[in-house]
Amino acid sequence: MFHTRVIVAKNPEQVGKFTADKFEEEIQRKPSCVIGLATGSTPLPLYRELIAREKAGLIDFSKVRSANLDEYKGLAPTHEQSYRKFMQDNLLDHISIKPENTIVPLGLAEDVDAMCKAYEEKIEEWGGVDLQLLGIGHDGHIGFNEPDDNFPTMTHEVKLTEMTINANKRFFNSVDEVPKAAFTMGIGTIMSAKKIVMMVTGADKKEILKKTFWGPVDPKVPASILQFHPDVTLICDEDAYPF
Ligand code: GLP
């Protein structure tokens, strides 16, 4: 562990509130900031809190831009299980952010290389991500960057591991319906963010959390690269904290 700040909260709701503080602070500092967003169950308390804070007049999303980490390959933006739909339902439809200021990789892209390149260029045109939110998979994946022999750099297509397909099948009717591939920001894209905040909750994440920040930096644990980022805040609950 090098630069990482660690905040241990009581429970997932409090993790959501502490993470919301980081977003509130960033948006106050720079109203047109670029935020990197994530899907999964872990960020839900954060998204509820952000919606409530805008309603209470504490945050204004009208100038904010957002870029999501990843999307399933082959799912339309309107598909019930697409990450675009998840973001609309759980955050974007309930805040004042402008639709044209939100991007998610396009699941139906025909020219994958061109879509991935355009995704990187858009983030660059916006001046880069100011604050990137991350969750973590049980195998240490961030976005959909799965354990590998090296750290993939830019937005690209990935084959999902069996562990990830099984972990995500709870959202689909059957395991066969879970897409086998996805598009994700690369480790390089994520590491280019100026600040990163990672949310981790639940005892089932304890082991991977320990490997990530208190083990060697290893592409077999993709999130371990975060030890080399100069501004990471880990916000976890007592159940996930390994000590
Ligand atoms: C998916 C997403 C990740 C997320 C992970 C963990 O695989 N691509 O970005 O971090 O799930 O999800 P959860 O928060 O539901 O455990």
Side-chain angles (χ1 to χ4, degrees):
M1 159 103 53
F2 298 95
H3 313 282
T4 313
R5 267 183 302 272
V6 184
I7 299 174
V8 184
K10 277 199 184 61
N11 52 43
E13 283 309 309
Q14 203 179 47
V15 171
K17 288 199 167 79
F18 288 166
T19 314
D21 292 344
K22 299 281 296 176
F23 279 87
E24 186 179 323
E25 199 181 292
E26 188 63 23
I27 295 166
Q28 264 162 16
R29 187 188 69 82
K30 184 179 172 190
S32 65
C33 65
V34 178
I35 54 177
L37 298 176
T39 54
S41 310
T42 312
L44 289 174
L46 164 70
Y47 294 157
R48 286 195 290 271
E49 184 67 21
L50 291 178
I51 293 166
R53 288 193 193 187
E54 185 169 65
K55 284 203 165 64
L58 297 168
I59 308 186
D60 174 8
F61 281 98
S62 61
K63 296 195 183 72
V64 171
R65 282 87 53 89
S66 75
N68 258 80
L69 281 169
D70 49 11
E71 178 60 283
Y72 286 119
K73 183 181 183 180
L75 298 195
T78 50
H79 188 287
E80 272 306 313
Q81 302 309 335
S82 78
Y83 282 173
R84 165 55 88 173
K85 178 88 167 63
F86 175 96
M87 289 313 302
Q88 294 304 133
D89 291 351
N90 291 296
L91 180 68
L92 303 175
D93 282 347
H94 309 286
I95 57 175
S96 67
I97 197 164
K98 295 193 175 72
E100 65 271 26
N101 284 345
T102 71
I103 57 171
V104 179
L106 188 59
L108 292 182
E110 278 173 22
D111 185 339
V112 171
D113 289 346
M115 186 277 289
C116 292
K117 191 163 169 280
Y119 203 71
E120 291 286 334
E121 284 168 358
K122 186 73 190 173
I123 294 172
E124 214 170 294
E125 183 196 312
W126 280 352
V129 173
D130 293 292
L131 178 62
Q132 176 69 54
L133 173 69
L134 295 176
I136 189 168
H138 292 98
D139 56 3
H141 72 245
I142 44 177
F144 266 134
N145 292 283
E146 297 279 25
D148 206 341
D149 294 333
N150 50 45
F151 291 108
T153 52
M154 298 308 179
T155 302
H156 62 294
E157 179 173 340
V158 282
K159 204 171 157 285
L160 300 180
T161 61
E162 216 163 300
M163 188 191 255
T164 301
I165 291 170
N166 276 318
N168 291 352
K169 74 176 179 211
R170 63 191 197 274
F171 301 110
F172 293 82
N173 293 324
S174 75
V175 71
D176 297 332
E177 282 182 24
V178 187
K180 306 293 176 282
F183 304 126
T184 182
M185 281 184 190
I187 294 290
T189 328
I190 293 169
M191 289 293 281
S192 302
K194 292 168 194 108
K195 297 183 197 126
I196 295 178
V197 58
M198 175 178 263
M199 298 174 75
V200 186
T201 56
D204 56 316
K205 296 276 175 74
K206 191 185 279 206
E207 201 184 318
I208 192 62
L209 186 54
K210 189 168 183 193
K211 282 190 188 156
T212 295
F213 290 102
W214 291 272
V217 174
D218 179 348
K220 296 276 184 251
V221 182
S224 64
I225 191 80
L226 296 174
Q227 293 183 36
F228 288 157
H229 191 285
D231 194 337
V232 177
T233 306
L234 164 67
I235 307 182
C236 65
D237 67 358
E238 285 170 0
D239 287 350
Y241 187 60
F243 301 99

